[in-house]
Amino acid sequence: LEHMGGDRKSHLQQIDVKDTGRINIKAVIEKELDIKKGFKPNHTFAHFTTNGIGIFAGSAGNGYTYWAISISDDVDKETGEKGGFLSEMINEWKGKRDDDDDDDINDDRDGSEEIDILYHWKVKDELLSKLKNLDSPEDVQFAIELIEATDAGSIYLTRSQEATKIGPALNSKDKKCVLVGDAAHCMSGSYGQNPVLALEDAAVLATCLRDSKDLPHALEKFNESRVSRCLEIQKRSAERAAKAMKGEKAEDVSKWIFQWKLNQN
């Protein structure tokens, strides 16, 4: 952006995100889901517990499987304070990494890497312990087996975040840069539409560029086509995620999502 014309802040529109109160733990392993246990090829399996845990697994390519565990923060009934799963461990982890960064820069030993390995194993152990101590651990045995087969170093942690608002435009103020995908409209993945929306964005943007007289007009058409749809899917995804974590059912709008056609835009 600086090469396009100076100060970054004058071109960027601030996009606020909010923490949705969940931690996501995920990995990909070299193992296929057992079809004999009811898993279907190229399908995603989802299981929700009654205490705010969502468990997902599915194909990640030939011979590989991904698993993801989404855990809601606990809320103290008396104080109302939230406490996230692994939050104390993560803060300790960050503190030790910061301390290591302050050590002698000429020290050849990669202390940060050793710290990461140690805490990845702790994450794996804590996650397995949490699942095994559920009221009905047999319901999530498939996930336990996947996690046990996972190299701790390949486990990825992230907090769930989504944009607090989308639009009114998805381009920079000088109309030299446009956002697509999660950069434009990050949201809950409860409908699994995040990568799909990115592909929709790309297809619509290409069509607008092809059919418009100039770039500003193309971006105007792109905004008109994408903002309203992304807002609706963001809203529906957040509703579904919130209810699923409580063991409740939300209205399924999958049919409406999949009816989208490029020529509608």
Side-chain angles (χ1 to χ4, degrees), residues 65-77:
T65 294
Y66 81 88
W67 58 261
I69 314 295
S70 183
I71 303 176
S72 295
D73 293 342
D74 294 324
V75 179
D76 189 297
K77 294 181 179 179

Side-chain angles (χ1 to χ4, degrees), residues 98-140:
D98 290 342
D99 290 343
D100 181 73
D101 290 341
D102 292 335
D103 290 343
D104 185 358
I105 61 173
N106 296 313
D107 188 349
D108 292 333
R109 181 177 57 83
D110 190 353
S112 293
E113 183 177 352
E114 292 179 3
I115 292 170
D116 288 350
I117 292 172
L118 171 63
Y119 277 90
H120 273 96
W121 277 105
K122 286 186 176 182
V123 167
K124 180 177 177 177
D125 289 344
E126 288 292 325
L127 182 57
L128 285 170
S129 176
K130 188 171 187 68
L131 296 182
K132 289 178 180 179
N133 284 290
L134 292 174
D135 292 337
S136 302
E138 64 277 5
D139 292 341
V140 298

